[in-house]
Each structure stands twice: as C-alpha cells, then as structure tokens.
Amino acid sequence: MAVLAWLLIPLFAAVGAAIWGGWASRSRTTEDIAELDGYARFRDAMDKTHSSSGSA
C-alpha cells in the first residue's frame, strides 16, 4: 500500500501541474482590451486638464 501512495504522489503532482499550466497560458485578450481602453480614457482626461489650465 505504501508503494501505491508513493506512485500516486507524482501522478497528482503531474495532474496539478497540467491544470496550472493550462490556467497560466489562457488567453487574456479581453482584460487587456478593457485595460487599454481605460488607459486611453486616462490619457484623454489628462490632455484635457493640461490644455485648459495652460493658458492661465
């Protein structure tokens, strides 16, 4: 029985590594697009702030 336990430990580790590898390599394009849109809005807001206060 102890031999079976020692054989199952690497098997569970391999299955866990395969699951983690699949999760780590997933496509994240939707989050990137939303983040880039937010950054574009931030840049636009900063441009408006600087252009209106520069003529004082």
Side-chain angles (χ1 to χ4, degrees):
M1 194 66 168
V3 173
L4 183 61
W6 280 108
L7 290 175
L8 288 178
I9 291 171
L11 177 68
F12 287 139
V15 169
I19 291 171
W20 179 83
W23 177 78
S25 67
R26 70 191 186 281
S27 175
R28 299 184 192 129
T29 57
T30 57
E31 292 127 11
D32 291 341
I33 292 171
E35 188 172 331
L36 289 174
D37 288 341
Y39 180 66
R41 287 194 308 268
F42 171 76
R43 274 193 334 222
D44 291 340
M46 292 304 288
D47 286 342
K48 288 178 186 175
T49 302
H50 288 298
S51 64
S52 65
S53 64
S55 62

